Amino acid sequence: MTTATVDIAFLTAAELGRAYRSGELKPTDVVRSLLARIERLQPTVRAYITVTGERAMAEAEAAERALAVGDTRPLLGVPMAYKDIYLTAGVRTTGGSALYEHHVPEMTATTIRLLSEAGAIFMGKVATHEFASGISPEDHPLPPARNPWNLERIPGGSSSGSGAALAAGLAMGALGSDTGGSIRHPGTACGIAALKPTYGRCSRVGVFPLSWSLDHTGPMARSCEDLALMLQALAGYDPLDPASIETPVDDYTATINDGVAGLKIGVMRSWYEAKTHPDVIAAVENAIGVLRDLGAEIVDVDIPNLELEKVLSIIMGAEAYAYHKHDLETRRELYPPVLRNRMLSGGLYSADEYIDAQRARDLVCRSVAATMKDVDILLSPTRGKTALTFPEAYGDYMGAVSFTGLFNLTGQPAISIPCGFGTDDMPIGLQLAGRPFAEATVLRAANAYESATTWHKRHPAL
């Protein structure tokens, strides 16, 4: 492999690290190549809000010096993009909103600091649905990212730029956030690997909140191996995050190649089949067959009380309103109408409705936990159909059924990985969820499927 022959843009982080250590590639060459690609594709894909080219080149030069003296950090010299709700000292952080269009923070989010300490290169800040909630209109000062597989479709949200940048070959890793599926939605829409870790596993310090009791941060990449490498750097206790839990961190790469033999996978057919497009059903059934052939025990599970998962919208709405209340009262005109109305509607819930929603959430959590005593993994589609067109998203963003929010309520780790394409040539995602803090098992199962298939190796023509 040489710089002249390899398609640098679509290397994984792990492949890039191996190429650095063999001397086949240099970080400066990789960053220079990606910056040129970003410049070419940004007008159409619109993945980035802010590109930090000078910083990226300086960090690439530092990575080369470190490699020359034998530095073995797996993420050293790997270009990363960060969702623009992560604060970054000296680099503007907009939240995708006109309210913060020129905001330059003085602090850096814990997660970005950890990735920097691991040697990752800061390529820039990428697009997000505004405040990780509403997709921005086309005439917005910070227009929405587009899906590299079809520019007329959204790349999922709210970590839209993270998904688009990875699918378009504009970064090797990215950070997203997930309150109801916002890491995994771009995962399925863009055909990438995307992991929502356990609630409390990764710090949220320095990240714009949407819903305190549902928000998660986590890695997005083009392979399960890359997710494991990123999670190794990100996972850990942060005393500044009240949700952070002090519990041991696994070695996520140690077992990732152990396969699925001996794992029991619960298929949630009764929950998703009636709400899912036939293309998605077919892709998921094929994935189930692959996992069975690889040695997993496959069983159907019927979990009670899942109809109560709809309380997520009450919890999210009320908590989002509480955070935005002051700005909605003083700078309401800076919110686009659809987002403004969505945020204001959260203020209509009464205290007893919010408390009842949390009680219903507890029932859901207990039902899922009881089922997971008998299975290692729960399996479903990530969403009920492929990526929405922009008119569909503006008209009824919630119209496409999602199967992600359940695991925000329970806080369990859940991953989306590519498992096929629809008749519309758009990616389809498979969701695997595990027990709390069992990210190693989730990654092991996902990697086994990924290694047996080639969906993750397909890239859009741009």
Side-chain angles (χ1 to χ4, degrees), residues 38 47-48 78-84 86 112 115 121-126 161-162 165-166 170-176 220 230:
I38 291 168
Y48 279 82
V78 174
M80 299 275 180
Y82 303 122
K83 183 176 182 179
D84 206 25
Y86 284 75
I112 291 182
L115 288 175
I121 291 175
F122 192 130
M123 295 297 294
K125 308 296 288 297
V126 285
S162 300
L166 288 163
L170 307 179
M172 279 71 178
L175 283 176
M220 302 168 67
M230 292 179 68

Side-chain angles (χ1 to χ4, degrees), residues 357-408:
Q358 291 286 15
R359 292 175 66 197
R361 176 186 189 174
D362 183 62
L363 283 175
V364 172
C365 290
R366 283 189 275 136
S367 293
V368 175
T371 299
M372 294 222 70
K373 290 179 182 178
D374 298 321
V375 298
D376 301 293
I377 296 287
L378 291 174
L379 181 151
S380 73
T382 308
R383 285 182 75 90
K385 62 181 289 188
T386 56
L388 301 176
T389 65
F390 277 93
E392 286 173 332
Y394 291 132
D396 182 11
Y397 178 65
M398 302 308 290
V401 174
S402 169
F403 301 103
T404 55
L406 170 63
F407 301 114
N408 292 86

Side-chain angles (χ1 to χ4, degrees), residues 141-158:
L142 303 165
R146 294 178 175 138
N147 194 313
W149 290 97
N150 183 334
L151 298 175
E152 302 303 314
R153 305 223 185 186
I154 68 168
S158 63

Side-chain angles (χ1 to χ4, degrees), residues 282-331:
V284 170
E285 285 299 323
N286 285 335
I288 292 168
V290 170
L291 289 165
R292 181 185 288 111
D293 291 343
L294 291 171
E297 181 183 355
I298 306 294
V299 297
D300 281 4
V301 293
D302 190 0
I303 305 175
N305 298 316
L306 290 194
E307 71 279 1
L308 296 176
E309 65 161 328
K310 294 177 182 178
V311 300
L312 181 139
S313 63
I314 298 174
I315 297 167
M316 185 190 301
E319 293 182 0
Y321 175 75
Y323 177 76
H324 286 275
K325 182 175 184 293
H326 176 73
D327 284 332
L328 287 167
E329 291 174 346
T330 59
R331 300 191 288 173

